[in-house]
Amino acid sequence: MTSSVFPAAHPLQPYGWDDAWADEFAPYDAEGLLAGRVVRVDRGQCDVVTADGVLRADTAFVTPHDPLRVVCTGDWVAVEPAGHPRYVRAYLPRRTAFVRSTSSKRSEGQILAANVDHVVVAVSLAVELELGRIERFLALAWESGAHPVVVLTKADLVPDPVTLGHLVQDVETAAPGVAVLAVSADTGEGLDVLAAVLSGGTTVLLGQSGAGKSTLANALIGEYVMDVQAARDVDGKGRHTTTTRNLLALPGGGVLIDTPGLRGVGLWDAESGVGQVFSEIEELAADCRFHDCAHVAEPGCAVLTAVESGALPERRLDSYRKLLRENQRIVAKTDVRLRAEIRRDWKRKGAEGKAAMEAKRGR
């Protein structure tokens, strides 16, 4: 059934508007406010696409102290129909949100995009693959509530199909349950498949600087809309040509959010995301003798047995441990109760280790 707030052919439909958003917006519609989607945010202001076109609005009215609740690209908002300055009055409840930790010592979360259906992790084939970094991006992607896709860009630089196939397989081992596509924006290889995967939803495009994100965005959109600069030959890194997050409609359906290249991407309360990236380890852990097995040296550890047999790459286990430790530290900094639990757990395990050592020495 079509909502009474907007007709079926409303101009916002290409940007993801649907009956559910119309229902959420109904109270603001009654106040005479305009519905719109944020396509760009910078310096306390944002560009909002509405039925009346793209409007510039101030976000000060809804900017709280919590950095996770600021207006961001992808938000659906209620905007004043007129005014100088014009203000965003509210944003609608988010369906999903991609959040990373900031580089600040306060360990605050930073929201990169909202209401996302797909997270494309762009990885350049111009440089050696960093599987650990891919796993980190995927953990945040799963945690956001969106579905990740790994896109290996610049596939034309690997002309041998056998070598390219091996690279895809290597990434697939680090990305269980995730589509891995090799794409070349220059030759068009794989673009039709990727466009079909992304149609009908909102996609955020993530990756390091030099991964070819802006070139890929231009190829998907079919026109030159994002500035592109050449990557350095020595390390494949480019300049940060995209400096803000921009939301763009795709010609085949769906919308794309391009983001600046990320030098670092820290976890932010992403335990379930980590578990999903390393689902085979979580499945093995269910068969460990101890339910709180740390998979380090415990007897009856099914995970260590899998590593010893070669069924589980040791690199995967090391990466799993690293991301879990990092996530635990981030959460502990923002959760006093959890910090106390972690300290008690450390003391308990320390006492158990000391007792085991003394027993081994025959005391």
Side-chain angles (χ1 to χ4, degrees):
M1 184 176 70
T2 303
S3 169
S4 59
V5 176
F6 291 117
H10 192 272
L12 288 179
Q13 283 190 337
Y15 292 90
W17 188 262
D18 57 28
D19 287 351
W21 287 122
D23 290 340
E24 290 280 2
F25 186 76
Y28 302 105
D29 181 59
E31 296 177 21
L33 298 174
L34 294 175
R37 194 165 195 192
V38 177
V39 298
R40 176 187 173 99
V41 178
D42 60 280
R43 300 180 181 179
Q45 292 188 315
C46 63
D47 293 335
V48 183
V49 59
T50 72
D52 295 339
V54 178
L55 308 176
R56 188 72 168 168
D58 197 304
T59 64
F61 190 87
V62 291
T63 299
H65 294 297
D66 184 351
L68 297 181
R69 297 177 61 191
V70 299
V71 172
C72 75
T73 305
D75 271 328
W76 286 100
V77 296
V79 186
E80 293 176 340
H84 301 282
R86 189 192 306 262
Y87 285 98
V88 172
R89 303 291 295 185
Y91 65 80
L92 303 185
R94 292 162 177 161
R95 295 177 183 175
T96 61
F98 189 96
V99 181
R100 69 164 178 172
S101 67
T102 65
S103 58
S104 70
K105 294 182 179 180
R106 292 178 294 179
S107 298
E108 294 178 335
Q110 178 190 21
I111 183 165
L112 298 183
N115 304 311
V116 171
D117 301 294
H118 307 284
V119 175
V120 167
V121 179
V123 181
S124 173
L125 289 175
V127 294
E128 185 176 353
L129 292 175
E130 294 184 55
L131 298 180
R133 183 176 293 274
I134 295 173
E135 289 162 345
R136 176 182 294 273
F137 271 106
L138 291 176
L140 289 174
W142 282 121
E143 191 69 33
S144 74
H147 198 289
V149 179
V150 177
V151 173
L152 303 180
T153 64
K154 307 180 184 181
D156 54 289
L157 298 180
V158 188
D160 179 25
V162 175
T163 301
L164 183 59
H166 287 320
L167 291 171
V168 170
Q169 289 177 359
D170 287 344
V171 176
E172 287 176 340
T173 63
V178 176
V180 179
L181 305 175
V183 170
S184 170
D186 288 341
T187 67
E189 176 186 355
L191 284 177
D192 54 344
V193 177
L194 178 59
V197 171
L198 305 184
S199 64
T202 296
T203 299
V204 62
L205 186 55
L206 301 171
Q208 288 184 283
S209 181
K213 299 189 310 315
S214 294
T215 302
L216 181 60
N218 286 334
L220 287 169
I221 293 166
E223 58 183 292
Y224 188 87
V225 293
M226 305 300 297
D227 289 336
V228 177
Q229 292 181 356
R232 298 193 298 257
D233 291 336
V234 63
D235 56 9
K237 294 181 180 179
R239 300 180 182 90
H240 292 270
T241 55
T242 304
T243 57
T244 58
R245 285 165 282 281
N246 303 276
L247 186 148
L248 307 159
L250 295 173
V255 292
L256 181 70
I257 300 175
D258 192 18
T259 65
L262 301 175
R263 289 189 177 91
V265 55
L267 300 186
W268 178 258
D269 195 6
E271 183 177 355
S272 65
V274 173
Q276 196 141 2
V277 175
F278 299 93
S279 56
E280 81 277 31
I281 296 179
E282 301 260 306
E283 291 173 3
L284 287 168
D287 293 328
C288 290
R289 181 181 301 177
F290 303 108
H291 75 276
D292 60 347
C293 183
H295 321 306
V296 177
E298 296 86 347
C301 175
V303 175
L304 293 179
T305 299
V307 171
E308 292 169 1
S309 69
L312 175 68
E314 188 171 3
R315 187 206 65 79
R316 286 279 285 170
L317 179 57
D318 290 341
S319 183
Y320 175 67
R321 290 169 176 159
K322 178 182 179 180
L323 292 182
L324 279 184
R325 286 195 302 268
E326 177 184 329
N327 189 71
Q328 194 174 50
R329 286 195 299 270
I330 289 294
V331 174
K333 288 180 181 180
T334 59
D335 191 322
V336 175
R337 178 186 58 78
L338 182 59
R339 280 203 302 270
E341 290 180 358
I342 290 174
R343 281 198 296 269
R344 286 196 297 269
D345 190 49
W346 283 345
K347 289 181 180 179
R348 178 181 63 79
K349 289 185 176 179
E352 290 175 352
K354 182 178 180 180
M357 185 63 70
E358 290 178 349
K360 187 174 182 180
R361 292 173 178 173
R363 294 182 181 178

